[in-house]
mmCIF file of all heavy atoms in Angstrom:
data_model
loop_
_atom_site.group_PDB
_atom_site.id
_atom_site.type_symbol
_atom_site.label_atom_id
_atom_site.label_comp_id
_atom_site.label_asym_id
_atom_site.label_seq_id
_atom_site.Cartn_x
_atom_site.Cartn_y
_atom_site.Cartn_z
ATOM 1 N N GLY A 1 0.821 -1.214 0.000
ATOM 2 C CA GLY A 1 0.000 0.000 0.000
ATOM 3 C C GLY A 1 0.849 1.255 0.000
ATOM 4 O O GLY A 1 0.525 2.248 -0.680
ATOM 5 N N LEU A 2 1.950 1.241 0.758
ATOM 6 C CA LEU A 2 2.867 2.393 0.753
ATOM 7 C C LEU A 2 3.426 2.654 -0.637
ATOM 8 O O LEU A 2 3.553 3.814 -1.070
ATOM 9 C CB LEU A 2 4.018 2.149 1.734
ATOM 10 C CG LEU A 2 3.742 2.329 3.227
ATOM 11 C CD1 LEU A 2 4.989 1.987 4.028
ATOM 12 C CD2 LEU A 2 3.305 3.765 3.524
ATOM 13 N N ALA A 3 3.794 1.564 -1.330
ATOM 14 C CA ALA A 3 4.322 1.725 -2.691
ATOM 15 C C ALA A 3 3.288 2.381 -3.597
ATOM 16 O O ALA A 3 3.623 3.264 -4.402
ATOM 17 C CB ALA A 3 4.744 0.364 -3.245
ATOM 18 N N MET A 4 2.022 1.974 -3.489
ATOM 19 C CA MET A 4 0.971 2.583 -4.307
ATOM 20 C C MET A 4 0.773 4.057 -3.966
ATOM 21 O O MET A 4 0.582 4.899 -4.856
ATOM 22 C CB MET A 4 -0.342 1.823 -4.106
ATOM 23 C CG MET A 4 -0.384 0.469 -4.793
ATOM 24 S SD MET A 4 -0.478 0.625 -6.592
ATOM 25 C CE MET A 4 -2.187 1.121 -6.800
ATOM 26 N N LEU A 5 0.834 4.382 -2.675
ATOM 27 C CA LEU A 5 0.702 5.787 -2.288
ATOM 28 C C LEU A 5 1.861 6.618 -2.823
ATOM 29 O O LEU A 5 1.666 7.693 -3.414
ATOM 30 C CB LEU A 5 0.657 5.906 -0.762
ATOM 31 C CG LEU A 5 -0.655 5.565 -0.050
ATOM 32 C CD1 LEU A 5 -0.463 5.647 1.454
ATOM 33 C CD2 LEU A 5 -1.770 6.515 -0.490
ATOM 34 N N GLY A 6 3.084 6.139 -2.613
ATOM 35 C CA GLY A 6 4.259 6.910 -3.003
ATOM 36 C C GLY A 6 4.426 7.052 -4.500
ATOM 37 O O GLY A 6 4.826 8.115 -4.995
ATOM 38 N N VAL A 7 4.139 5.985 -5.237
ATOM 39 C CA VAL A 7 4.388 6.009 -6.684
ATOM 40 C C VAL A 7 3.231 6.646 -7.450
ATOM 41 O O VAL A 7 3.450 7.351 -8.435
ATOM 42 C CB VAL A 7 4.656 4.579 -7.192
ATOM 43 C CG1 VAL A 7 4.838 4.571 -8.708
ATOM 44 C CG2 VAL A 7 5.886 3.988 -6.526
ATOM 45 N N PHE A 8 1.990 6.446 -6.985
ATOM 46 C CA PHE A 8 0.838 6.870 -7.798
ATOM 47 C C PHE A 8 -0.093 7.855 -7.101
ATOM 48 O O PHE A 8 -0.255 8.993 -7.566
ATOM 49 C CB PHE A 8 0.024 5.635 -8.232
ATOM 50 C CG PHE A 8 0.802 4.671 -9.066
ATOM 51 C CD1 PHE A 8 1.162 3.435 -8.566
ATOM 52 C CD2 PHE A 8 1.184 4.990 -10.372
ATOM 53 C CE1 PHE A 8 1.888 2.539 -9.327
ATOM 54 C CE2 PHE A 8 1.908 4.101 -11.142
ATOM 55 C CZ PHE A 8 2.261 2.871 -10.622
ATOM 56 N N LEU A 9 -0.726 7.464 -6.007
ATOM 57 C CA LEU A 9 -1.839 8.250 -5.477
ATOM 58 C C LEU A 9 -1.426 9.649 -5.038
ATOM 59 O O LEU A 9 -2.136 10.627 -5.317
ATOM 60 C CB LEU A 9 -2.473 7.494 -4.303
ATOM 61 C CG LEU A 9 -3.350 6.300 -4.695
ATOM 62 C CD1 LEU A 9 -3.808 5.539 -3.466
ATOM 63 C CD2 LEU A 9 -4.550 6.757 -5.513
ATOM 64 N N LEU A 10 -0.301 9.779 -4.341
ATOM 65 C CA LEU A 10 0.099 11.115 -3.888
ATOM 66 C C LEU A 10 0.506 12.019 -5.042
ATOM 67 O O LEU A 10 0.579 13.240 -4.882
ATOM 68 C CB LEU A 10 1.251 10.998 -2.885
ATOM 69 C CG LEU A 10 0.878 10.405 -1.514
ATOM 70 C CD1 LEU A 10 2.106 10.281 -0.639
ATOM 71 C CD2 LEU A 10 -0.182 11.263 -0.831
ATOM 72 N N ARG A 11 0.762 11.441 -6.197
ATOM 73 C CA ARG A 11 1.127 12.233 -7.375
ATOM 74 C C ARG A 11 -0.085 12.536 -8.259
ATOM 75 O O ARG A 11 -0.154 13.597 -8.880
ATOM 76 C CB ARG A 11 2.177 11.481 -8.207
ATOM 77 C CG ARG A 11 3.518 11.288 -7.515
ATOM 78 C CD ARG A 11 4.434 10.420 -8.360
ATOM 79 N NE ARG A 11 5.723 10.207 -7.722
ATOM 80 C CZ ARG A 11 6.784 11.001 -7.867
ATOM 81 N NH1 ARG A 11 6.695 12.080 -8.631
ATOM 82 N NH2 ARG A 11 7.909 10.730 -7.246
ATOM 83 N N GLN A 12 -1.014 11.588 -8.320
ATOM 84 C CA GLN A 12 -2.088 11.699 -9.313
ATOM 85 C C GLN A 12 -3.436 12.111 -8.726
ATOM 86 O O GLN A 12 -4.237 12.745 -9.401
ATOM 87 C CB GLN A 12 -2.247 10.361 -10.045
ATOM 88 C CG GLN A 12 -1.002 9.946 -10.821
ATOM 89 C CD GLN A 12 -1.161 8.587 -11.481
ATOM 90 O OE1 GLN A 12 -2.234 7.986 -11.445
ATOM 91 N NE2 GLN A 12 -0.091 8.085 -12.080
ATOM 92 N N ALA A 13 -3.730 11.708 -7.468
ATOM 93 C CA ALA A 13 -5.032 12.018 -6.879
ATOM 94 C C ALA A 13 -5.088 13.488 -6.460
ATOM 95 O O ALA A 13 -4.077 14.074 -6.071
ATOM 96 C CB ALA A 13 -5.284 11.123 -5.671
ATOM 97 N N ASP A 14 -6.304 14.078 -6.539
ATOM 98 C CA ASP A 14 -6.434 15.475 -6.119
ATOM 99 C C ASP A 14 -6.672 15.544 -4.612
ATOM 100 O O ASP A 14 -6.770 14.534 -3.921
ATOM 101 C CB ASP A 14 -7.564 16.167 -6.887
ATOM 102 C CG ASP A 14 -8.913 15.479 -6.707
ATOM 103 O OD1 ASP A 14 -9.154 14.913 -5.615
ATOM 104 O OD2 ASP A 14 -9.712 15.480 -7.657
ATOM 105 N N GLU A 15 -6.763 16.790 -4.106
ATOM 106 C CA GLU A 15 -6.856 16.984 -2.659
ATOM 107 C C GLU A 15 -8.113 16.360 -2.079
ATOM 108 O O GLU A 15 -8.079 15.764 -0.997
ATOM 109 C CB GLU A 15 -6.822 18.480 -2.341
ATOM 110 C CG GLU A 15 -6.797 18.772 -0.843
ATOM 111 C CD GLU A 15 -6.628 20.266 -0.544
ATOM 112 O OE1 GLU A 15 -6.275 21.016 -1.481
ATOM 113 O OE2 GLU A 15 -6.849 20.649 0.616
ATOM 114 N N ARG A 16 -9.242 16.449 -2.784
ATOM 115 C CA ARG A 16 -10.482 15.869 -2.281
ATOM 116 C C ARG A 16 -10.368 14.346 -2.203
ATOM 117 O O ARG A 16 -10.793 13.733 -1.217
ATOM 118 C CB ARG A 16 -11.636 16.265 -3.211
ATOM 119 C CG ARG A 16 -13.003 15.723 -2.760
ATOM 120 C CD ARG A 16 -14.076 16.114 -3.753
ATOM 121 N NE ARG A 16 -13.787 15.564 -5.080
ATOM 122 C CZ ARG A 16 -14.084 14.308 -5.447
ATOM 123 N NH1 ARG A 16 -14.646 13.480 -4.578
ATOM 124 N NH2 ARG A 16 -13.802 13.885 -6.658
ATOM 125 N N GLU A 17 -9.787 13.733 -3.224
ATOM 126 C CA GLU A 17 -9.629 12.271 -3.233
ATOM 127 C C GLU A 17 -8.675 11.802 -2.130
ATOM 128 O O GLU A 17 -8.942 10.821 -1.432
ATOM 129 C CB GLU A 17 -9.124 11.807 -4.600
ATOM 130 C CG GLU A 17 -10.167 11.958 -5.702
ATOM 131 C CD GLU A 17 -9.583 11.803 -7.101
ATOM 132 O OE1 GLU A 17 -8.346 11.991 -7.246
ATOM 133 O OE2 GLU A 17 -10.345 11.507 -8.034
ATOM 134 N N LEU A 18 -7.563 12.530 -1.964
ATOM 135 C CA LEU A 18 -6.623 12.160 -0.913
ATOM 136 C C LEU A 18 -7.252 12.332 0.471
ATOM 137 O O LEU A 18 -6.960 11.543 1.391
ATOM 138 C CB LEU A 18 -5.353 13.006 -1.014
ATOM 139 C CG LEU A 18 -4.418 12.683 -2.178
ATOM 140 C CD1 LEU A 18 -3.246 13.654 -2.204
ATOM 141 C CD2 LEU A 18 -3.894 11.254 -2.067
ATOM 142 N N GLY A 19 -8.097 13.340 0.618
ATOM 143 C CA GLY A 19 -8.767 13.542 1.894
ATOM 144 C C GLY A 19 -9.650 12.370 2.270
ATOM 145 O O GLY A 19 -9.853 12.088 3.455
ATOM 146 N N ALA A 20 -10.190 11.676 1.269
ATOM 147 C CA ALA A 20 -11.020 10.494 1.534
ATOM 148 C C ALA A 20 -10.175 9.228 1.667
ATOM 149 O O ALA A 20 -10.484 8.337 2.467
ATOM 150 C CB ALA A 20 -12.046 10.319 0.410
ATOM 151 N N ILE A 21 -9.079 9.145 0.885
ATOM 152 C CA ILE A 21 -8.276 7.908 0.840
ATOM 153 C C ILE A 21 -7.368 7.768 2.047
ATOM 154 O O ILE A 21 -7.294 6.688 2.662
ATOM 155 C CB ILE A 21 -7.428 7.885 -0.456
ATOM 156 C CG1 ILE A 21 -8.329 7.707 -1.681
ATOM 157 C CG2 ILE A 21 -6.376 6.776 -0.404
ATOM 158 C CD1 ILE A 21 -7.604 7.912 -2.994
ATOM 159 N N LEU A 22 -6.670 8.840 2.423
ATOM 160 C CA LEU A 22 -5.615 8.720 3.431
ATOM 161 C C LEU A 22 -6.110 8.284 4.809
ATOM 162 O O LEU A 22 -5.440 7.463 5.471
ATOM 163 C CB LEU A 22 -4.843 10.033 3.530
ATOM 164 C CG LEU A 22 -3.966 10.354 2.308
ATOM 165 C CD1 LEU A 22 -3.287 11.712 2.476
ATOM 166 C CD2 LEU A 22 -2.931 9.260 2.087
ATOM 167 N N PRO A 23 -7.266 8.789 5.309
ATOM 168 C CA PRO A 23 -7.727 8.282 6.617
ATOM 169 C C PRO A 23 -8.009 6.778 6.602
ATOM 170 O O PRO A 23 -7.712 6.073 7.581
ATOM 171 C CB PRO A 23 -9.003 9.089 6.882
ATOM 172 C CG PRO A 23 -8.816 10.337 6.098
ATOM 173 C CD PRO A 23 -8.097 9.914 4.846
ATOM 174 N N ILE A 24 -8.577 6.279 5.489
ATOM 175 C CA ILE A 24 -8.847 4.840 5.392
ATOM 176 C C ILE A 24 -7.534 4.068 5.353
ATOM 177 O O ILE A 24 -7.363 3.066 6.053
ATOM 178 C CB ILE A 24 -9.690 4.533 4.131
ATOM 179 C CG1 ILE A 24 -11.035 5.243 4.220
ATOM 180 C CG2 ILE A 24 -9.879 3.025 3.972
ATOM 181 C CD1 ILE A 24 -11.865 5.124 2.952
ATOM 182 N N TRP A 25 -6.597 4.575 4.531
ATOM 183 C CA TRP A 25 -5.300 3.896 4.444
ATOM 184 C C TRP A 25 -4.583 3.904 5.789
ATOM 185 O O TRP A 25 -3.947 2.921 6.182
ATOM 186 C CB TRP A 25 -4.415 4.565 3.389
ATOM 187 C CG TRP A 25 -2.969 4.227 3.591
ATOM 188 C CD1 TRP A 25 -1.965 5.043 3.991
ATOM 189 C CD2 TRP A 25 -2.385 2.926 3.455
ATOM 190 N NE1 TRP A 25 -0.794 4.358 4.124
ATOM 191 C CE2 TRP A 25 -1.021 3.049 3.795
ATOM 192 C CE3 TRP A 25 -2.878 1.679 3.098
ATOM 193 C CZ2 TRP A 25 -0.146 1.982 3.774
ATOM 194 C CZ3 TRP A 25 -2.009 0.606 3.081
ATOM 195 C CH2 TRP A 25 -0.651 0.750 3.405
ATOM 196 N N SER A 26 -4.698 5.003 6.533
ATOM 197 C CA SER A 26 -4.033 5.094 7.831
ATOM 198 C C SER A 26 -4.538 4.008 8.777
ATOM 199 O O SER A 26 -3.758 3.395 9.510
ATOM 200 C CB SER A 26 -4.279 6.482 8.437
ATOM 201 O OG SER A 26 -3.615 6.613 9.665
ATOM 202 N N ARG A 27 -5.850 3.740 8.756
ATOM 203 C CA ARG A 27 -6.403 2.668 9.602
ATOM 204 C C ARG A 27 -5.907 1.304 9.134
ATOM 205 O O ARG A 27 -5.589 0.421 9.944
ATOM 206 C CB ARG A 27 -7.926 2.738 9.595
ATOM 207 C CG ARG A 27 -8.493 3.927 10.373
ATOM 208 C CD ARG A 27 -9.974 3.788 10.599
ATOM 209 N NE ARG A 27 -10.737 3.946 9.360
ATOM 210 C CZ ARG A 27 -11.168 5.113 8.877
ATOM 211 N NH1 ARG A 27 -10.903 6.237 9.551
ATOM 212 N NH2 ARG A 27 -11.849 5.176 7.760
ATOM 213 N N TRP A 28 -5.859 1.090 7.824
ATOM 214 C CA TRP A 28 -5.320 -0.165 7.282
ATOM 215 C C TRP A 28 -3.892 -0.388 7.757
ATOM 216 O O TRP A 28 -3.531 -1.482 8.193
ATOM 217 C CB TRP A 28 -5.310 -0.112 5.756
ATOM 218 C CG TRP A 28 -6.638 -0.327 5.100
ATOM 219 C CD1 TRP A 28 -7.851 -0.360 5.690
ATOM 220 C CD2 TRP A 28 -6.843 -0.523 3.711
ATOM 221 N NE1 TRP A 28 -8.827 -0.553 4.751
ATOM 222 C CE2 TRP A 28 -8.242 -0.660 3.519
ATOM 223 C CE3 TRP A 28 -6.019 -0.565 2.608
ATOM 224 C CZ2 TRP A 28 -8.806 -0.849 2.267
ATOM 225 C CZ3 TRP A 28 -6.568 -0.766 1.351
ATOM 226 C CH2 TRP A 28 -7.951 -0.913 1.190
ATOM 227 N N ALA A 29 -3.095 0.668 7.615
ATOM 228 C CA ALA A 29 -1.680 0.545 7.989
ATOM 229 C C ALA A 29 -1.534 0.214 9.469
ATOM 230 O O ALA A 29 -0.693 -0.604 9.858
ATOM 231 C CB ALA A 29 -0.941 1.839 7.652
ATOM 232 N N ALA A 30 -2.369 0.868 10.309
ATOM 233 C CA ALA A 30 -2.291 0.602 11.749
ATOM 234 C C ALA A 30 -2.623 -0.866 12.048
ATOM 235 O O ALA A 30 -1.951 -1.519 12.856
ATOM 236 C CB ALA A 30 -3.253 1.523 12.498
ATOM 237 N N LEU A 31 -3.654 -1.409 11.391
ATOM 238 C CA LEU A 31 -4.021 -2.812 11.589
ATOM 239 C C LEU A 31 -2.914 -3.745 11.098
ATOM 240 O O LEU A 31 -2.589 -4.749 11.754
ATOM 241 C CB LEU A 31 -5.332 -3.124 10.860
ATOM 242 C CG LEU A 31 -6.606 -2.537 11.476
ATOM 243 C CD1 LEU A 31 -7.801 -2.774 10.564
ATOM 244 C CD2 LEU A 31 -6.861 -3.146 12.853
ATOM 245 N N ALA A 32 -2.333 -3.402 9.939
ATOM 246 C CA ALA A 32 -1.264 -4.244 9.391
ATOM 247 C C ALA A 32 -0.044 -4.251 10.312
ATOM 248 O O ALA A 32 0.572 -5.296 10.541
ATOM 249 C CB ALA A 32 -0.877 -3.758 7.991
ATOM 250 N N VAL A 33 0.300 -3.088 10.857
ATOM 251 C CA VAL A 33 1.452 -2.999 11.762
ATOM 252 C C VAL A 33 1.182 -3.771 13.046
ATOM 253 O O VAL A 33 2.068 -4.471 13.570
ATOM 254 C CB VAL A 33 1.785 -1.524 12.064
ATOM 255 C CG1 VAL A 33 2.802 -1.423 13.194
ATOM 256 C CG2 VAL A 33 2.336 -0.845 10.814
ATOM 257 N N CYS A 34 -0.037 -3.678 13.570
ATOM 258 C CA CYS A 34 -0.385 -4.444 14.768
ATOM 259 C C CYS A 34 -0.253 -5.948 14.495
ATOM 260 O O CYS A 34 0.251 -6.699 15.350
ATOM 261 C CB CYS A 34 -1.809 -4.116 15.217
ATOM 262 S SG CYS A 34 -1.988 -2.484 15.968
ATOM 263 N N ALA A 35 -0.707 -6.391 13.312
ATOM 264 C CA ALA A 35 -0.580 -7.809 12.948
ATOM 265 C C ALA A 35 0.887 -8.208 12.854
ATOM 266 O O ALA A 35 1.285 -9.290 13.316
ATOM 267 C CB ALA A 35 -1.291 -8.072 11.617
ATOM 268 N N LEU A 36 1.708 -7.320 12.272
ATOM 269 C CA LEU A 36 3.137 -7.597 12.171
ATOM 270 C C LEU A 36 3.779 -7.738 13.549
ATOM 271 O O LEU A 36 4.560 -8.665 13.801
ATOM 272 C CB LEU A 36 3.829 -6.463 11.400
ATOM 273 C CG LEU A 36 3.812 -6.537 9.879
ATOM 274 C CD1 LEU A 36 4.313 -5.217 9.290
ATOM 275 C CD2 LEU A 36 4.684 -7.677 9.387
ATOM 276 N N LEU A 37 3.458 -6.803 14.450
ATOM 277 C CA LEU A 37 4.053 -6.826 15.786
ATOM 278 C C LEU A 37 3.623 -8.069 16.559
ATOM 279 O O LEU A 37 4.450 -8.742 17.188
ATOM 280 C CB LEU A 37 3.654 -5.568 16.553
ATOM 281 C CG LEU A 37 4.345 -4.270 16.129
ATOM 282 C CD1 LEU A 37 3.716 -3.081 16.840
ATOM 283 C CD2 LEU A 37 5.833 -4.328 16.439
ATOM 284 N N LEU A 38 2.335 -8.394 16.517
ATOM 285 C CA LEU A 38 1.833 -9.552 17.254
ATOM 286 C C LEU A 38 2.425 -10.849 16.703
ATOM 287 O O LEU A 38 2.930 -11.692 17.460
ATOM 288 C CB LEU A 38 0.304 -9.588 17.185
ATOM 289 C CG LEU A 38 -0.375 -10.756 17.919
ATOM 290 C CD1 LEU A 38 -0.049 -10.697 19.408
ATOM 291 C CD2 LEU A 38 -1.887 -10.704 17.706
ATOM 292 N N ALA A 39 2.371 -10.986 15.365
ATOM 293 C CA ALA A 39 2.908 -12.206 14.752
ATOM 294 C C ALA A 39 4.407 -12.315 14.961
ATOM 295 O O ALA A 39 4.931 -13.403 15.224
ATOM 296 C CB ALA A 39 2.573 -12.216 13.255
ATOM 297 N N GLY A 40 5.118 -11.189 14.846
ATOM 298 C CA GLY A 40 6.559 -11.209 15.050
ATOM 299 C C GLY A 40 6.941 -11.595 16.469
ATOM 300 O O GLY A 40 7.922 -12.313 16.693
#
């Protein structure tokens, strides 16, 4: 997901789209990191 944000979305999406996408992505990332920490 980070690769998609860095390579595409932060370059191509407009401010309104990023305002909707980034909060959702932030929650995804938090869940993924928690899974990584617990599993690790």
Side-chain angles (χ1 to χ4, degrees):
L2 283 178
M4 286 289 285
L5 282 176
V7 177
F8 299 110
L9 285 174
L10 290 177
R11 295 174 180 271
Q12 298 177 5
D14 58 32
E15 185 175 346
R16 181 182 60 82
E17 290 167 338
L18 288 176
I21 291 170
L22 290 177
I24 298 173
W25 160 249
S26 182
R27 288 193 290 272
W28 283 11
L31 288 173
V33 170
C34 287
L36 276 170
L37 286 172
L38 180 61

